[in-house]
């Protein structure tokens, strides 16, 4: 509903009701709608990747999954402490140092 109202207001504010000014005036709400849709559907892809990682870990005997879960839990605790103190999430570099995890360069 908000996108439709914004689109209508932008088109009404176009200087001339020709196709070019209307297209330029109408593009921002359409771009917002597209970006919201892309972000709304993103967690599904992430969940599929996580389940594939879990399947791989189970195929390797399950030891990786247990160690990844404990590392993940420690990372969440570090992030929670950092958020309490600094009111923002911990940086990746600080988290790596805190958990003593070496940087993995795939290049």
């Amino acid at each position: 509903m908000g996108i439709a109202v914004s689109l209508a207001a932008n088109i009404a504010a176009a200087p001339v009701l020709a196709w070019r000014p209307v297209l330029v005036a109408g593009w921002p709400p359409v771009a917002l709608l597209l970006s919201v849709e892309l972000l709304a559907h993103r967690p599904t892809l992430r969940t599929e990747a996580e389940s594939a990682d879990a399947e791989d870990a189970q195929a390797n005997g399950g030891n990786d999954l247990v160690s990844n879960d404990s590392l993940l839990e420690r990372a969440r605790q570090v992030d929670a402490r950092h958020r309490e103190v600094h009111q923002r999430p911990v940086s990746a570099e600080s988290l790596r140092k805190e958990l003593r995890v070496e940087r993995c360069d795939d290049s």
Side-chain angles (χ1 to χ4, degrees):
M1 176 80 169
I3 296 292
V5 170
S6 178
L7 182 62
N10 283 4
I11 291 174
V16 180
L17 287 179
W19 71 271
R20 286 183 185 145
V22 169
L23 181 67
V24 170
W27 178 246
V30 173
L32 176 64
L33 176 65
L34 291 174
S35 63
V36 167
E37 285 298 315
L38 286 173
L39 289 174
H41 291 93
R42 186 173 178 201
T44 303
L45 297 174
R46 192 169 133 210
T47 304
E48 290 172 2
E50 287 173 353
S51 65
D53 288 343
E55 289 173 6
D56 290 343
Q58 286 177 350
N60 292 333
N63 293 335
D64 292 341
L65 185 61
V66 172
S67 108
N68 285 342
D69 284 345
S70 65
L71 185 62
L72 178 62
E73 186 57 37
R74 285 180 30 220
R76 286 180 176 155
Q77 291 171 355
V78 168
D79 183 56
R81 278 195 318 258
H82 191 273
R83 284 178 188 266
E84 286 177 11
V85 173
H86 300 286
Q87 301 299 317
R88 60 185 166 86
V90 67
S91 69
E93 190 61 32
S94 297
L95 187 60
R96 251 194 303 285
K97 287 178 183 176
E98 179 79 23
L99 297 175
R100 295 183 183 107
V101 174
E102 293 183 25
R103 186 178 190 137
C104 177
D105 292 324
D106 292 334
S107 44

